[in-house]
Amino acid sequence: AGPGPGPGPEGLEGLDRHDAFALFKTSGGARTNARLLEAKAAQRAARADCKAAADEVNALTDHIREESELLEAKRSARRAADEVVARAVGKGAGVAAGDEVIDEEEYAHVKNVKDLKAHYRASKEAHAEAA
């Protein structure tokens, strides 16, 4: 049997497959077709949610990387300045060994990285649920 018109269910004689299916979707298969269309719409929405969550995770990854680079640059500058001060003042002066004193800007970078990582974990979890 070829794809062309031929004998079939009552009322469908002489219709090709495409026309027969279109007729089915509007008559006896209307409920099935409606469920299919609803499922497709739900799938599109779920894919959009998943993509939005993935985009947010990727953006947060970039922000974390940028903030971490700023923090490391600030730490390097502070350590270099601490070494200069230690050599100028002499060993044993100033802060006890192992203690670090950071300024407000460095603290802000540390806090930003911590906050971004918490947001990243929450977004990653949301993405896993959406997928």
Side-chain angles (χ1 to χ4, degrees):
E10 189 176 315
L12 299 180
E13 292 86 10
L15 294 177
D16 67 5
R17 288 178 68 154
H18 178 61
D19 292 337
F21 185 60
L23 181 63
F24 170 76
K25 290 190 306 184
T26 59
S27 59
R31 188 176 323 140
T32 302
N33 188 50
R35 286 194 330 241
L36 174 65
L37 294 176
E38 288 172 13
K40 284 182 176 182
Q43 184 182 32
R44 272 193 299 278
R47 281 185 180 166
D49 291 346
C50 189
K51 181 171 178 2
D55 289 345
E56 182 178 8
V57 167
N58 291 337
L60 284 168
T61 301
D62 292 340
H63 290 327
I64 290 170
R65 185 178 312 112
E66 292 167 4
E67 193 67 30
S68 294
E69 289 171 359
L70 291 172
L71 175 60
E72 189 53 40
K74 183 70 177 167
R75 283 182 176 165
S76 295
R78 178 183 42 84
R79 287 180 185 136
D82 288 350
E83 288 177 18
V84 170
V85 170
R87 274 183 274 159
V89 176
K91 301 272 183 196
V95 180
D99 289 343
E100 290 186 1
V101 177
I102 63 174
D103 64 8
E104 192 174 323
E105 184 180 354
E106 188 174 347
Y107 176 77
H109 289 303
V110 170
K111 184 162 178 12
N112 284 342
V113 168
K114 184 178 178 180
D115 292 345
L116 285 168
K117 285 182 177 181
H119 192 155
Y120 171 86
R121 283 188 294 274
S123 294
K124 186 80 170 171
E125 190 175 304
H127 177 257
E129 290 173 5

